[in-house]
Amino acid sequence: MANALAQHKPIDEALPRKTRIRFGRLLIYGPLCAMAALYLMPLWVMVVTSLKPLDEIYSGSFIGLPQTITLDAWRAAWSEACIGTECTGLKPYFANSLLMVIPAVVLSTGIGAINGYILTKWRFPGANLVFGLLLFGCFLPYQAILIPMARTLGLLGLAGSIPGLVFVHVAYGICFTTLFFRNFFVSLPDELTKAAMVDGAGFFRIFWSVILPTSIPIIVVSCIWQFTQIWNDFLFGVSFTSGGNSPMTVALNNIVNVTTGRKQYNVDMAAAMIAAIPTLLVYIVAGRYFVRGLTAGAVKG
Amino acid sequence: MNAAKSFSSRLAGWLPRIVVAPSLLVVIVTVYLFILWTGVISFTSSRFVPVYDFAGLEQYVRLWATPRWHTAVANLFIFSALFLFLSTGIGLLMAILLDQNIRAEGFLRAVYLYPMALSFIVTGTAWKWIMNPGLGIQKVINELGWTSFTFDWITDPNMAIYTVVIAGVWQSSGFAMAIFLAGLRGIDNSVIKAAQIEGAGLPLIYRQIIIPMLRPAMLSVIVLLSYIAIKSFDLVLALTNAGPGSATELPSTFMFSATFRRNQMGVGAASAVMMLMTVAAIIVPYLYSELRERNNG
Amino acid sequence: MSTLEIDRVRKTYGNLEVLKEVSISIGTGDFLVLLGPSGCGKSTLLNMIAGLENISGGEVRIAGKIVNELSPKDRDIAMVFQSYALYPTMTVRQNIEFGMKIRGVPPAQRDKAVRAAADLLQIIHLLDRKPSQLSGGQRQRVAMGRAIVREPKLFLFDEPLSNLDAKLRVDMRTEIKRLHARLGTTIVYVTHDQIEAMTLATRVAVMKGGVVQQLDDPQTVYDRPANVYVAKFVGSPSMNIIPGKIEVEGGSATAVIDMANRQAVRIPGIHLSSQAASKYAGRKVLIGIRPEMFSVGNGQAQGAISIEVDVVEPTGADTLAVFQLGGVEVTARLPPKQVNARASATLAVDRSKVVLFDPDSEELIN
Amino acid sequence: MSTLEIDRVRKTYGNLEVLKEVSISIGTGDFLVLLGPSGCGKSTLLNMIAGLENISGGEVRIAGKIVNELSPKDRDIAMVFQSYALYPTMTVRQNIEFGMKIRGVPPAQRDKAVRAAADLLQIIHLLDRKPSQLSGGQRQRVAMGRAIVREPKLFLFDEPLSNLDAKLRVDMRTEIKRLHARLGTTIVYVTHDQIEAMTLATRVAVMKGGVVQQLDDPQTVYDRPANVYVAKFVGSPSMNIIPGKIEVEGGSATAVIDMANRQAVRIPGIHLSSQAASKYAGRKVLIGIRPEMFSVGNGQAQGAISIEVDVVEPTGADTLAVFQLGGVEVTARLPPKQVNARASATLAVDRSKVVLFDPDSEELIN
Amino acid sequence: EGTIEVLHHWVSQSEVDALNVIRKDLESKGFQWKDSAVGGMSGANAQQALRSRLTSGDPPGAMQFLGWEGPQWAEQGVVRDLNDLAEDGGWREALPPQLLTFVTSGDAFIAAPINMHRQNWVWANKKIFDEAGIAVPKTWADLIAAGKKLKEKGITPVAMGDEPWQIGIIFDALLSDLYGPEFYRKVAIDLDPAALNSAEMVKVFDTLREVRGLVDDNFVGRDWAVATGLVINGEAAMQFMGDWAKGEFLAKGLKPNADFYCFATPAKVPTFQYVIDSFGMFTVKDETVQNAQVALAETIMDPAVQKGFNLIKGSIPARTDVSVDDFDDCAKLGFNERAEAIKAGSMLGAMTHGFAAKPEFASVFGDVAAQFFVGNMSSDDAVKMLVEGIDNAR
Ligand SMILES: Nc1ncnc2c1ncn2[C@@H]1O[C@H](COP(=O)(O)OP(=O)(O)OP(=O)(O)O)[C@@H](O)[C@H]1O
Ligand SMILES: Nc1ncnc2c1ncn2[C@@H]1O[C@H](COP(=O)(O)OP(=O)(O)OP(=O)(O)O)[C@@H](O)[C@H]1O
Ligand SMILES: [Mg+2]
Ligand SMILES: [Mg+2]
């Protein structure tokens, strides 16, 4: 196609135009790649460190390339490192985290989506107040509410259990997810809902068949956020679960956060990267659904 | 029959309210009731565990007489302002660049997002090394021959807070990017086309048409980043451990150490109340204007 | 199939009153066309009938039942939106069958209905596309398809053909007429197209600024517009309104139009009721003459008018001739090539159709 | 002000070929109207001229310069989009003045231009509203306003008046014509409205399925359509195409239409070039007669046609009579109340305008 | 027979290995050990977890206590009284009397101490000392002079990180070493306003400032073990650190007094600044857990277990009646100096690890010392800040 075009015009005219286009693209790729390099710098440090034997690190080689490469740290982090007196590595804690994160993400995203839908497409008097109330919950300093939350969980009979943790994450997660969805839905044309109403669709049907399919990008955003927050949460995990119920972050903390012991930097780095794998997978898989223009052509005007 | 109909249709009218009600209820309990509890505690003499006496404003007086708290508040403003500005700016820029129909978008997006996936307990160490003048950037650049180059903010109590900003922006701007990108993906192209026709170049189109249309996304980003700024905890702890000295103390670290390390639960509660009040003072007017605007928009 | 009564319905947006006590009532199987200038509240009224906008005052009754509080999905209506409002993530097929799916129509029947509608609308080949891949007119046809596959109590069409070409429009018009005949469903239809209004409607409501000006059958609206506004609004080119006066002589009225520097033009044999004749005899009136009431006449005939043509505008089938009459610019629609610009001509007027308006109230004189 | 050349331009979406080697070229100050059925590629072509869609093949030249690679902002065009494409976050005023702002027009001047345009478009009172608070027609007028405040090299209008009422439409049409006359800007205009096309255009391009069928001045397109498709597409109701044959006798051609069970209808005095006459003498042809070429005639005249009217459709100004002729359904546009359904009538045909088409190629016979 | 959940914050390899000695012994008695480790923040994370657990009505069976934690929880009435066991086991007699403050509450024995660390050690690279002709310093003046000498030779005299607790170790040492144990008690335990506001206090800060001069500039964010590595490598000469640092030297196969020196921070009367870990038992209803609690307490106080534990952990047993055989030279030195310190009254709780003033005050010391150390505050200002801070926290 580009060739066909080029044939039509004199070469001297085609050339500068081409280079100008290149230059334009350069302006886009340049910053993107520079930024990517900067962003990857700490990762590089981590990878390199995780491949070094511990002695090499302690002999002063922090950032440089490893002299000997070993995967011991990765193995240790996965299945050998001691989390307290149980030397199981991170492996068993993954299951806990998954059991917690999946229901919590699904529930909080689902509830947030439906709240956002109500707050934009089914506005009732006081809807903005409700939104404001939910929103303010985003700013709650969690350190301050651990004790009443522990009491509440105790009363609900959820203390020390994974369902209890799911409850906490959902309760605070909906503040964020509602925000995301509400702010995405305000820019969806109201005509869509109207048309569906006339077609005979009810409250839930419209949500499910018309609104949700157009909100894939924000579902992705919400899932990414919730997954990251919940997966990486330490505070609630450490406060509301114990021992073998603990999520992965508590185990990771136990690998990493030694005070009077010797830090095993290589294992720490490997463990951190292993712990991040599910989240990264979510980013990559969910990222595919960052699709363009889902509302394009829906309405005119 | 008629009455039943009207009941069911009235029910349908109430349905939205019924559906949000549980969320609202949960939030009222877990947010507002708990805030109330914190508020109550801040007026008691609680130290190690909650006690329910009345100590008046004693804890607030104590709080404001603590130099660390002053540092924390000052840092919060420096940190939040810079962090918000830079993360929003960089996030928006990256989203816009990524939206130019480029190759490897998926890869780049993952690269910008990955810092969020990594627990800062560990990445803090990497940053510590990178910013340590004897190990990281400064050393590398000095060794490359530019010997006068210094980058030792992390050792300087006056500059250390900026290193926290750098690490914070690194960690969070990716998510701002994601929200903006989702917003951009929702915009109808025909509007952009119209602006192109009118002679607007891309920068102008973004400034005048697209970014205004991203206002709701911007609200999400601002709320989110403020949340991150206010609660930055791991970040500070892992990178500087609130040091050097207490130069990078933030309200969140202050609150934690007051409550769990110093046995000053009352002071911790008072600091939480102060934080919430600050947030409310800034966010509520903003929200008000934002929502009112939307209402008739 | 049902009656529709709109009873003193009001709509306000904040301080802005968009509909002011609109009352329209039509019977089962009626085809109501809403006509009116842009922004007069037609879409708003349609939305209120559908239950998509709150009613600020008054009542809407479908089949005798007040529906003010009834949700749209329970009103059993089908609607074509002016803005299309297609579901962006669904294909054309899914868009069309969505309403049936919800109502639990079995797949086979759904499929048949979709095919039939798509065939009619000539969008068979587009069934698997998304709305964003369609042209404007194709989108409009999908929106149309979404409505016509259903058999609701009430159809609401908001300018459903405005983006279609003339040919398709004629076809569609015929189809809508056929649909109406077959189902007998009550229809409310907004259009700007003269011909659509005239050919489809059993009732026409002309609106202006949120107020209904006239509600009548189409021929009456055209022939005997209730006021000058309706007269000028309906018909294209619009009716000429010429100041003049009435002379009554022995039961027969003559309209007299003063000419600047020539002899007055007299149009005898105007139909007038005896009351009106006595009331307006010798008084000023506004004389309404539609462009097509003129024909190229013969200088000798009674009521022939000699004029000087200013501009000639050929439209293909006809030619529009513009000239001065009674101090205003008047348009006549004549067969092509019978008159020339800047030349004089003699025209006849079909006097039986001339209408008169009161110069103060601008209401029709019966 | 500039010429526009579209040179073998192609457009494909994936495998779908939407435009097939379209070539159109118009001069400075020309007013090109694109006509064609929905989905034939008109908007696509406009978008390509504007630089909003990639050109899959061929060249677009504005003022002689190839613009294929030029970005829209550098082409100096103004455009009204079929979908309006208003900026949702801006008020009407901001929408209209955006283009001027970009071009650095000083505020005072901008304000003046906005007022003038808003005045013209009757949207002065809407200047501070957001697009979401406007009716369909009001939005369309804002879109229009956005284009007309500028003085570009080229105007592109995509059905700019489709949502306006007849009266406003006539006003707007006049304004566009005036704008064109005043600025002399080259204009490309998509419309479905017969009259708009005829009254505005200096050139009409009729398209079908991505191919240009005819490019000519409007009267020619109307009177001498290049093929059956154009003949049927332009004009409403469309031209009747009746199978028949040609008899040539001494330099004069007669069209003969066989009737099922009666004597054949003969229309003598058909204009035909001598080549055509010799080529088609005695052969089958398609005879094209527009509805308005019929008139109520006198049974004795030569070429008078006796028919049985099937259906009568009053449109206000006229009545359409439908009857059978030569085995096809034929429509005649007649003055009201001159014929009745299911009654016989005698019609005359304006023979000077009858056109003939080759039955195989369906091309016009000159 | 019964399961006991133990909440603790020992997560590093050596800590875990040591803890396993206890665990094995308990399990050999037929009880199950349910491990709940929460590392980090010097136990603050674990404290926070404990608080939630108690609030929700689900306390663990046992908890590792540091500093005042045990007595404070005991005051809330949630900790089990171990008096019967203590009587039977003769715990009071076996433990240094100073230590009882942290394992009793009123009359009740509320925790079983397992070990005792000494915080105020100096670890030195013998080769560097020898090459520079430096002897083990007897006073801080000697030490600072030696440091200056080394600095001129291009060797970092003191290796450390900027964490407040690392600075606190030096501060604690100076407080007792310069003006004696009494001064330390007045300041760090009694919070005597006169002592706090004294000229001696100013001198303490002055000396701290001099020590700062012996530290390199890249000390920000440096881990203590990394600093130890610098001493081992010969990049730095000394480190002030608790006896947990010893493990780093031993792991490299280095021998005390042959390859490295371990000596107490210099003072007229060497002080013994201790840090102990103890385990308290929470009041629970479940009887099997109660039995396990008894078994665990007995295990912890078993001299053999204490020996086995401390051989690994690097500390010395909390009990004074455990034989010193098998321990290394540094530990033996510790034993001896502890015995002397008990007699001399120079056995002191380490403030930095929470064994002197209550946390709300101790942290003020920590804040001031750290800010002073990393910035360029004057000693007078530091004293002023300290006094105000303590007053504010009262
Ligand atoms: N993105 C797309 N992908 C595939 N086909 C498309 C796409 N956009 C348009 N088309 C098709 O291209 C053809 C031409 O579209 P275009 O919008 O130019 O039609 P048009 O002549 O303007 O029609 P209308 O009068 O209905 O507006 C249509 O058949 C349409 O379905
Ligand atoms: N949300 C709104 N806020 C304020 N005014 C509004 C709003 N929506 C519509 N209007 C106004 O209400 C009036 C009626 O609008 P409506 O859409 O019913 O007009 P319409 O008769 O359908 O016009 P058109 O033929 O142009 O579609 C218009 O003047 C419009 O500007
Ligand atoms: Mg409308
Ligand atoms: Mg189009």
Side-chain angles (χ1 to χ4, degrees), chain C residues 43 82 158-159, chain D residues 135-136:
Chain C
S43 300
Q82 189 171 11
D158 200 349
E159 311 194 18
Chain D
S135 79

Side-chain angles (χ1 to χ4, degrees), chain C residues 13 16 18 38-44 82 159 192, chain D residues 129 133-138:
Chain C
Y13 287 111
L16 191 73
V18 170
S38 170
C40 73
K42 305 178 295 294
S43 300
T44 306
Q82 189 171 11
E159 311 194 18
H192 291 130
Chain D
R129 293 221 201 139
Q133 298 171 307
L134 301 180
S135 79
Q138 289 166 339

Side-chain angles (χ1 to χ4, degrees), chain E residues 255-272:
Chain E
K255 299 264 167 323
N257 297 324
D259 303 309
F260 68 95
Y261 287 123
C262 48
F263 53 92
T265 50
K268 274 194 216 91
V269 186
T271 52
F272 189 99

Side-chain angles (χ1 to χ4, degrees), chain D residues 82-136:
Chain D
Q82 188 171 12
S83 62
Y84 317 151
L86 302 180
Y87 312 128
T89 53
M90 297 188 190
T91 61
V92 168
R93 181 193 307 283
Q94 289 166 332
N95 261 284
I96 295 179
E97 70 181 358
F98 182 68
M100 289 188 286
K101 225 163 159 179
I102 286 170
R103 289 190 155 68
V105 177
Q109 196 177 328
R110 237 153 53 197
D111 200 61
K112 227 179 94 196
V114 171
R115 300 227 131 242
D119 209 22
L120 197 81
L121 298 158
Q122 303 171 30
I123 49 173
I124 285 271
H125 58 297
L126 305 174
L127 282 179
D128 294 318
R129 293 221 201 139
K130 294 271 174 77
S132 63
Q133 298 171 307
L134 301 180
S135 79

Side-chain angles (χ1 to χ4, degrees), chain E residues 140 173-180 200 203-205 207 266-268:
Chain E
W140 276 91
L174 288 174
L175 214 50
S176 63
D177 291 347
L178 292 185
Y179 298 104
E200 285 86 349
K203 190 73 180 60
V204 168
F205 279 105
T207 316
K268 274 194 216 91

Side-chain angles (χ1 to χ4, degrees), chain C residues 5-10 22 55 57-61 66 68:
Chain C
E5 285 152 273
I6 297 163
D7 191 3
R8 283 166 296 156
V9 157
R10 293 173 51 249
V22 168
I55 297 178
E59 276 175 10
V60 173
R61 285 186 291 271
I66 300 173
N68 284 28

